Every structure is written in C-alpha cells, then in structure tokens.
Amino acid sequence: MNYIKLILIAVGLYLLVMLGFAVIGIVYSALWYLFVLGVIAIGGSVGYKYLKKKPEQPKLEEKTPVSLADTQDADRALEEYKRKYLSK
C-alpha cells in the first residue's frame, strides 16, 4: 500500500511540475508577444512621424501700408494713455 501511495505522490509531483512549466511557458510567451508588439508599435509611430507629409510653412504676407493719418491717431492714443495712466 505504501508503494502505491509513493507512486501516486511521484506522479502527482511530476504532473504538478509539468503544469508549472506550462504556466511559465505561457507567461513567457505572452511577455514576448507584448515586447514584440511594443517594438512594432514604437517603430510604426516613429516611422509615421518621420514619413508623414509636413505642412507647408505659411508665407509671410505683405505688410499693409500705413498712412500718415493712422500714425497720427496712434500717437494721439499713446499720448492719451500716458496722460491717463502714467501720470499717477
């Protein structure tokens, strides 16, 4: 009877070890797939960043000519501002 118990315990331990190796293999392969997918995702995002068409830089518009009347209005507004707020 003791031999049967020892054989059953040995078979149980063997199956437990094999199950442990299977779980370790599943975890290892899942981590490996996550690593590979991460490398692909990073490579894709970097490739997209460098290969996408860059927008054209806006060209500077020509300045509108300023008339003498506009500068006089600006001078008057500046003098008014100085008189109101800077004299205090």
Side-chain angles (χ1 to χ4, degrees), residues 42-62:
I42 290 173
S45 65
V46 168
Y48 177 75
K49 182 192 289 185
Y50 284 115
L51 293 178
K52 74 176 182 178
K53 184 177 178 183
K54 300 200 184 236
E56 293 182 16
Q57 296 293 332
K59 296 179 181 175
L60 294 176
E61 297 178 5
E62 295 181 15

PDB file of all heavy atoms in Angstrom, residues 42-62:
ATOM      1  N   ILE A  42       6.201  51.090 -31.503  1.00  0.00           N
ATOM      2  CA  ILE A  42       7.139  52.217 -31.420  1.00  0.00           C
ATOM      3  C   ILE A  42       7.750  52.493 -32.787  1.00  0.00           C
ATOM      4  O   ILE A  42       7.859  53.654 -33.208  1.00  0.00           O
ATOM      5  CB  ILE A  42       8.230  51.930 -30.371  1.00  0.00           C
ATOM      6  CG1 ILE A  42       7.625  51.969 -28.974  1.00  0.00           C
ATOM      7  CG2 ILE A  42       9.378  52.918 -30.480  1.00  0.00           C
ATOM      8  CD1 ILE A  42       8.563  51.528 -27.881  1.00  0.00           C
ATOM      9  N   GLY A  43       8.130  51.450 -33.499  1.00  0.00           N
ATOM     10  CA  GLY A  43       8.679  51.646 -34.847  1.00  0.00           C
ATOM     11  C   GLY A  43       7.665  52.265 -35.784  1.00  0.00           C
ATOM     12  O   GLY A  43       7.998  53.142 -36.584  1.00  0.00           O
ATOM     13  N   GLY A  44       6.413  51.846 -35.681  1.00  0.00           N
ATOM     14  CA  GLY A  44       5.374  52.423 -36.532  1.00  0.00           C
ATOM     15  C   GLY A  44       5.123  53.881 -36.223  1.00  0.00           C
ATOM     16  O   GLY A  44       4.951  54.706 -37.127  1.00  0.00           O
ATOM     17  N   SER A  45       5.100  54.229 -34.939  1.00  0.00           N
ATOM     18  CA  SER A  45       4.849  55.630 -34.597  1.00  0.00           C
ATOM     19  C   SER A  45       6.014  56.526 -35.007  1.00  0.00           C
ATOM     20  O   SER A  45       5.819  57.636 -35.499  1.00  0.00           O
ATOM     21  CB  SER A  45       4.563  55.773 -33.103  1.00  0.00           C
ATOM     22  OG  SER A  45       5.700  55.421 -32.355  1.00  0.00           O
ATOM     23  N   VAL A  46       7.243  56.037 -34.827  1.00  0.00           N
ATOM     24  CA  VAL A  46       8.411  56.824 -35.247  1.00  0.00           C
ATOM     25  C   VAL A  46       8.429  56.951 -36.769  1.00  0.00           C
ATOM     26  O   VAL A  46       8.683  58.037 -37.309  1.00  0.00           O
ATOM     27  CB  VAL A  46       9.710  56.182 -34.718  1.00  0.00           C
ATOM     28  CG1 VAL A  46      10.934  56.802 -35.363  1.00  0.00           C
ATOM     29  CG2 VAL A  46       9.777  56.319 -33.212  1.00  0.00           C
ATOM     30  N   GLY A  47       8.145  55.859 -37.466  1.00  0.00           N
ATOM     31  CA  GLY A  47       8.104  55.910 -38.927  1.00  0.00           C
ATOM     32  C   GLY A  47       7.020  56.845 -39.431  1.00  0.00           C
ATOM     33  O   GLY A  47       7.234  57.605 -40.377  1.00  0.00           O
ATOM     34  N   TYR A  48       5.867  56.825 -38.796  1.00  0.00           N
ATOM     35  CA  TYR A  48       4.779  57.724 -39.197  1.00  0.00           C
ATOM     36  C   TYR A  48       5.172  59.175 -38.979  1.00  0.00           C
ATOM     37  O   TYR A  48       4.900  60.027 -39.800  1.00  0.00           O
ATOM     38  CB  TYR A  48       3.515  57.398 -38.409  1.00  0.00           C
ATOM     39  CG  TYR A  48       2.367  58.317 -38.713  1.00  0.00           C
ATOM     40  CD1 TYR A  48       1.660  58.206 -39.902  1.00  0.00           C
ATOM     41  CD2 TYR A  48       1.992  59.309 -37.816  1.00  0.00           C
ATOM     42  CE1 TYR A  48       0.610  59.054 -40.193  1.00  0.00           C
ATOM     43  CE2 TYR A  48       0.950  60.155 -38.095  1.00  0.00           C
ATOM     44  CZ  TYR A  48       0.256  60.027 -39.274  1.00  0.00           C
ATOM     45  OH  TYR A  48      -0.766  60.876 -39.558  1.00  0.00           O
ATOM     46  N   LYS A  49       5.845  59.438 -37.855  1.00  0.00           N
ATOM     47  CA  LYS A  49       6.234  60.810 -37.550  1.00  0.00           C
ATOM     48  C   LYS A  49       7.210  61.344 -38.602  1.00  0.00           C
ATOM     49  O   LYS A  49       7.110  62.479 -39.046  1.00  0.00           O
ATOM     50  CB  LYS A  49       6.877  60.879 -36.178  1.00  0.00           C
ATOM     51  CG  LYS A  49       7.275  62.293 -35.780  1.00  0.00           C
ATOM     52  CD  LYS A  49       8.167  62.325 -34.560  1.00  0.00           C
ATOM     53  CE  LYS A  49       7.430  61.959 -33.323  1.00  0.00           C
ATOM     54  NZ  LYS A  49       8.246  62.098 -32.107  1.00  0.00           N
ATOM     55  N   TYR A  50       8.169  60.504 -39.002  1.00  0.00           N
ATOM     56  CA  TYR A  50       9.190  60.975 -39.929  1.00  0.00           C
ATOM     57  C   TYR A  50       8.769  60.901 -41.394  1.00  0.00           C
ATOM     58  O   TYR A  50       9.315  61.620 -42.216  1.00  0.00           O
ATOM     59  CB  TYR A  50      10.486  60.198 -39.737  1.00  0.00           C
ATOM     60  CG  TYR A  50      11.221  60.636 -38.497  1.00  0.00           C
ATOM     61  CD1 TYR A  50      11.397  59.765 -37.442  1.00  0.00           C
ATOM     62  CD2 TYR A  50      11.705  61.928 -38.370  1.00  0.00           C
ATOM     63  CE1 TYR A  50      12.055  60.159 -36.292  1.00  0.00           C
ATOM     64  CE2 TYR A  50      12.356  62.334 -37.222  1.00  0.00           C
ATOM     65  CZ  TYR A  50      12.526  61.442 -36.193  1.00  0.00           C
ATOM     66  OH  TYR A  50      13.175  61.838 -35.052  1.00  0.00           O
ATOM     67  N   LEU A  51       7.802  60.062 -41.719  1.00  0.00           N
ATOM     68  CA  LEU A  51       7.429  59.907 -43.118  1.00  0.00           C
ATOM     69  C   LEU A  51       6.177  60.673 -43.516  1.00  0.00           C
ATOM     70  O   LEU A  51       5.878  60.773 -44.690  1.00  0.00           O
ATOM     71  CB  LEU A  51       7.230  58.424 -43.428  1.00  0.00           C
ATOM     72  CG  LEU A  51       8.492  57.570 -43.355  1.00  0.00           C
ATOM     73  CD1 LEU A  51       8.152  56.122 -43.641  1.00  0.00           C
ATOM     74  CD2 LEU A  51       9.546  58.066 -44.318  1.00  0.00           C
ATOM     75  N   LYS A  52       5.435  61.200 -42.537  1.00  0.00           N
ATOM     76  CA  LYS A  52       4.218  61.924 -42.914  1.00  0.00           C
ATOM     77  C   LYS A  52       4.599  63.246 -43.567  1.00  0.00           C
ATOM     78  O   LYS A  52       5.664  63.809 -43.314  1.00  0.00           O
ATOM     79  CB  LYS A  52       3.310  62.150 -41.713  1.00  0.00           C
ATOM     80  CG  LYS A  52       3.780  63.197 -40.748  1.00  0.00           C
ATOM     81  CD  LYS A  52       2.754  63.386 -39.659  1.00  0.00           C
ATOM     82  CE  LYS A  52       3.225  64.490 -38.724  1.00  0.00           C
ATOM     83  NZ  LYS A  52       2.276  64.759 -37.688  1.00  0.00           N
ATOM     84  N   LYS A  53       3.724  63.710 -44.419  1.00  0.00           N
ATOM     85  CA  LYS A  53       3.998  64.941 -45.146  1.00  0.00           C
ATOM     86  C   LYS A  53       3.903  66.119 -44.190  1.00  0.00           C
ATOM     87  O   LYS A  53       2.904  66.292 -43.501  1.00  0.00           O
ATOM     88  CB  LYS A  53       2.983  65.098 -46.276  1.00  0.00           C
ATOM     89  CG  LYS A  53       3.242  66.292 -47.146  1.00  0.00           C
ATOM     90  CD  LYS A  53       2.264  66.352 -48.291  1.00  0.00           C
ATOM     91  CE  LYS A  53       2.530  67.587 -49.123  1.00  0.00           C
ATOM     92  NZ  LYS A  53       1.584  67.726 -50.194  1.00  0.00           N
ATOM     93  N   LYS A  54       4.941  66.894 -44.172  1.00  0.00           N
ATOM     94  CA  LYS A  54       4.948  68.050 -43.281  1.00  0.00           C
ATOM     95  C   LYS A  54       4.153  69.189 -43.932  1.00  0.00           C
ATOM     96  O   LYS A  54       4.241  69.405 -45.132  1.00  0.00           O
ATOM     97  CB  LYS A  54       6.373  68.495 -43.017  1.00  0.00           C
ATOM     98  CG  LYS A  54       7.194  67.410 -42.363  1.00  0.00           C
ATOM     99  CD  LYS A  54       8.384  67.952 -41.685  1.00  0.00           C
ATOM    100  CE  LYS A  54       9.168  66.771 -41.169  1.00  0.00           C
ATOM    101  NZ  LYS A  54       9.444  66.743 -39.845  1.00  0.00           N
ATOM    102  N   PRO A  55       3.386  69.914 -43.141  1.00  0.00           N
ATOM    103  CA  PRO A  55       2.621  71.034 -43.715  1.00  0.00           C
ATOM    104  C   PRO A  55       3.562  72.134 -44.189  1.00  0.00           C
ATOM    105  O   PRO A  55       4.631  72.342 -43.615  1.00  0.00           O
ATOM    106  CB  PRO A  55       1.749  71.504 -42.554  1.00  0.00           C
ATOM    107  CG  PRO A  55       2.436  71.025 -41.326  1.00  0.00           C
ATOM    108  CD  PRO A  55       3.166  69.784 -41.719  1.00  0.00           C
ATOM    109  N   GLU A  56       3.139  72.792 -45.222  1.00  0.00           N
ATOM    110  CA  GLU A  56       3.968  73.870 -45.746  1.00  0.00           C
ATOM    111  C   GLU A  56       3.974  75.030 -44.758  1.00  0.00           C
ATOM    112  O   GLU A  56       2.989  75.319 -44.109  1.00  0.00           O
ATOM    113  CB  GLU A  56       3.412  74.341 -47.088  1.00  0.00           C
ATOM    114  CG  GLU A  56       3.527  73.307 -48.184  1.00  0.00           C
ATOM    115  CD  GLU A  56       3.009  73.833 -49.513  1.00  0.00           C
ATOM    116  OE1 GLU A  56       2.847  75.059 -49.643  1.00  0.00           O
ATOM    117  OE2 GLU A  56       2.765  73.015 -50.394  1.00  0.00           O
ATOM    118  N   GLN A  57       5.119  75.678 -44.690  1.00  0.00           N
ATOM    119  CA  GLN A  57       5.221  76.828 -43.815  1.00  0.00           C
ATOM    120  C   GLN A  57       4.440  77.991 -44.423  1.00  0.00           C
ATOM    121  O   GLN A  57       4.529  78.243 -45.634  1.00  0.00           O
ATOM    122  CB  GLN A  57       6.693  77.235 -43.655  1.00  0.00           C
ATOM    123  CG  GLN A  57       7.543  76.189 -42.971  1.00  0.00           C
ATOM    124  CD  GLN A  57       7.149  76.004 -41.517  1.00  0.00           C
ATOM    125  OE1 GLN A  57       6.657  76.920 -40.887  1.00  0.00           O
ATOM    126  NE2 GLN A  57       7.328  74.796 -41.028  1.00  0.00           N
ATOM    127  N   PRO A  58       3.663  78.683 -43.612  1.00  0.00           N
ATOM    128  CA  PRO A  58       2.917  79.816 -44.164  1.00  0.00           C
ATOM    129  C   PRO A  58       3.876  80.913 -44.610  1.00  0.00           C
ATOM    130  O   PRO A  58       4.869  81.201 -43.942  1.00  0.00           O
ATOM    131  CB  PRO A  58       2.043  80.274 -43.000  1.00  0.00           C
ATOM    132  CG  PRO A  58       2.707  79.759 -41.777  1.00  0.00           C
ATOM    133  CD  PRO A  58       3.430  78.520 -42.194  1.00  0.00           C
ATOM    134  N   LYS A  59       3.577  81.460 -45.759  1.00  0.00           N
ATOM    135  CA  LYS A  59       4.419  82.534 -46.270  1.00  0.00           C
ATOM    136  C   LYS A  59       3.993  83.844 -45.612  1.00  0.00           C
ATOM    137  O   LYS A  59       2.832  84.042 -45.287  1.00  0.00           O
ATOM    138  CB  LYS A  59       4.272  82.639 -47.779  1.00  0.00           C
ATOM    139  CG  LYS A  59       4.769  81.396 -48.476  1.00  0.00           C
ATOM    140  CD  LYS A  59       4.590  81.511 -49.955  1.00  0.00           C
ATOM    141  CE  LYS A  59       5.088  80.234 -50.619  1.00  0.00           C
ATOM    142  NZ  LYS A  59       4.838  80.232 -52.037  1.00  0.00           N
ATOM    143  N   LEU A  60       4.970  84.693 -45.404  1.00  0.00           N
ATOM    144  CA  LEU A  60       4.664  85.970 -44.778  1.00  0.00           C
ATOM    145  C   LEU A  60       3.869  86.839 -45.748  1.00  0.00           C
ATOM    146  O   LEU A  60       4.172  86.933 -46.930  1.00  0.00           O
ATOM    147  CB  LEU A  60       5.951  86.694 -44.378  1.00  0.00           C
ATOM    148  CG  LEU A  60       6.768  86.015 -43.289  1.00  0.00           C
ATOM    149  CD1 LEU A  60       8.062  86.786 -43.076  1.00  0.00           C
ATOM    150  CD2 LEU A  60       5.983  85.964 -42.003  1.00  0.00           C
ATOM    151  N   GLU A  61       2.854  87.453 -45.205  1.00  0.00           N
ATOM    152  CA  GLU A  61       2.054  88.344 -46.050  1.00  0.00           C
ATOM    153  C   GLU A  61       2.736  89.703 -46.113  1.00  0.00           C
ATOM    154  O   GLU A  61       3.479  90.097 -45.222  1.00  0.00           O
ATOM    155  CB  GLU A  61       0.659  88.487 -45.454  1.00  0.00           C
ATOM    156  CG  GLU A  61      -0.105  87.183 -45.426  1.00  0.00           C
ATOM    157  CD  GLU A  61      -1.471  87.365 -44.789  1.00  0.00           C
ATOM    158  OE1 GLU A  61      -1.832  88.505 -44.468  1.00  0.00           O
ATOM    159  OE2 GLU A  61      -2.152  86.356 -44.626  1.00  0.00           O
ATOM    160  N   GLU A  62       2.436  90.403 -47.180  1.00  0.00           N
ATOM    161  CA  GLU A  62       2.995  91.736 -47.305  1.00  0.00           C
ATOM    162  C   GLU A  62       2.350  92.651 -46.284  1.00  0.00           C
ATOM    163  O   GLU A  62       1.176  92.525 -45.960  1.00  0.00           O
ATOM    164  CB  GLU A  62       2.736  92.273 -48.711  1.00  0.00           C
ATOM    165  CG  GLU A  62       3.453  91.503 -49.797  1.00  0.00           C
ATOM    166  CD  GLU A  62       3.170  92.086 -51.169  1.00  0.00           C
ATOM    167  OE1 GLU A  62       2.668  93.221 -51.241  1.00  0.00           O
ATOM    168  OE2 GLU A  62       3.452  91.403 -52.142  1.00  0.00           O
TER     169      GLU A  62
END
